[in-house]
Amino acid sequence: LANLSNDEVFTPPDVVNQMLDLLPQELFSDPNATFLDPACKTGVFLREIAKRLLVGLADKIPDLQKRIDHVFHKQLYGIAITELTSLLSRRSLYCSKYPNGEYSISHFDTAEGNIRFRRIKHTWIGDKCKFCGANKFYDRSGDKETHAYEFIHTENPEKIFNMKFDVIISNPPYQLKTNGAQAQAIPLYHKFVSSAIRLKPRYLTMIIPSRWFTGGFGLDSFRNQMLHDNQIRVIHDFPNAGECFPGVEIKGGVCYFLWAKNTTGNCKIYTHENNKIISHATRPLLEDNCDVFVRYNQAVDILRKVKAKN
């Protein structure tokens, strides 16, 4: 499948599994663990999680059909970003775009199963949406997409499913184009991260542009929040985004991270180049008396030596 756009990029399964490898693997043997993808496109995150759960729960739920039903009904949840991606995601996960139909491998009473899509309207304050900053160009009617994503267009994201999640994992939409040839796109991915943290999961992992390292264009507050959050345990940084998303250019690269609730300490930072890890270090996101995130591990020693000489 082609990507929907440069703003909404499909995630390759191998990248998804690298992100899942960050999580404690005992989660996939826990029949009570719950998982949410708040920005479903193809359903690949939920599908790869399902594969692991169906193996990990084999001893606890020996009957395969009962195990499938338990995993799909009680453990996996998604919010699609468009009506089209809701159908793609259900087809990927349930083997049928209608999980209440005869071809679904687990029967639901509704046509959406646990992957929901709601056509949401922007909430305008003047000419801007108060949730995402979109302009009136997206005040659309009929069948045109509004790109008002449900997960970030609510004051209470916890009420969407009215439940707690152990893991939130996703590749959220990165930006929203504004009307006009010279207009700069509005970043969106940080709003998904912030909404996910508000839900207080045990673990959060998302793949997002690395531009937040430097801030700017509405990202300064988010950058400050992230760099001072010692619950971020791991960052895998790809200066060349094409190593994660072949054929897609994302200036500044991309990264995926692991956030773990109620943990403290330094962060493990890995730098990828030419499809391999070229450096890794365990260090604070901010050096003492420094408000700049040093992206490359090799540069930290240089900084420390310079500071030692005052």
Side-chain angles (χ1 to χ4, degrees), residues 192-219:
F192 280 84
V193 176
S194 297
S195 288
I197 291 176
R198 284 171 55 192
L199 264 62
K200 300 179 180 179
R202 290 170 60 194
Y203 301 98
L204 165 65
T205 178
M206 288 190 178
I207 183 165
I208 59 177
S210 296
R211 289 192 295 267
W212 70 267
F213 291 166
T214 54
F217 200 67
L219 293 170

Side-chain angles (χ1 to χ4, degrees), residues 303-310:
L303 173 64
R304 290 173 179 172
K305 289 174 182 177
V306 171
K307 291 175 64 178
K309 296 294 185 180
N310 199 27

Side-chain angles (χ1 to χ4, degrees), residues 21-35:
D21 287 342
L22 297 179
L23 298 168
Q25 296 305 292
E26 57 267 24
L27 284 167
F28 303 108
S29 300
D30 183 353
N32 298 311
T34 51
F35 301 81

Side-chain angles (χ1 to χ4, degrees), residues 125-142:
I125 297 181
D127 292 332
K128 301 289 184 181
C129 173
K130 78 170 188 175
F131 290 109
C132 71
N135 57 29
K136 284 292 185 76
F137 173 74
Y138 290 97
D139 189 11
R140 296 168 167 175
S141 59

Side-chain angles (χ1 to χ4, degrees), residues 171-192:
N171 175 15
Y174 292 164
Q175 59 189 24
L176 187 66
K177 294 179 180 177
T178 52
N179 193 22
Q182 302 301 319
Q184 190 172 0
I186 302 170
L188 290 179
Y189 57 91
H190 63 299
K191 296 180 181 294
F192 280 84

Side-chain angles (χ1 to χ4, degrees), residues 1 10-11 13 16 20 37 39-51 72 76-81 84-94 115 169:
L1 289 173
F10 292 152
T11 317
V16 172
L20 292 176
D37 179 355
C40 288
K41 302 183 190 74
T42 64
V44 63
F45 284 99
L46 297 179
R47 187 190 71 211
E48 296 303 314
I49 293 169
K51 289 181 181 179
F72 289 170
L76 301 180
Y77 299 83
I79 304 171
I81 61 172
L84 171 62
T85 61
S86 73
L87 300 176
L88 286 172
S89 297
R90 294 178 196 128
R91 177 64 178 82
S92 180
L93 187 62
Y94 306 131
I115 300 177
I169 182 170

Side-chain angles (χ1 to χ4, degrees), residues 216-264:
F217 200 67
L219 293 170
D220 288 342
S221 176
F222 174 71
R223 173 186 178 275
N224 185 65
Q225 170 195 338
M226 293 286 279
L227 293 182
H228 288 89
D229 190 341
N230 60 8
Q231 296 173 106
I232 298 177
R233 314 306 302 128
V234 182
I235 293 176
H236 281 263
D237 179 27
F238 297 80
N240 176 10
E243 295 191 21
C244 282
F245 305 114
V248 176
E249 180 185 9
I250 301 173
K251 293 182 179 180
V254 296
C255 67
Y256 57 80
F257 65 89
L258 175 67
W259 179 94
K261 186 173 70 172
N262 298 329
T263 61
T264 58

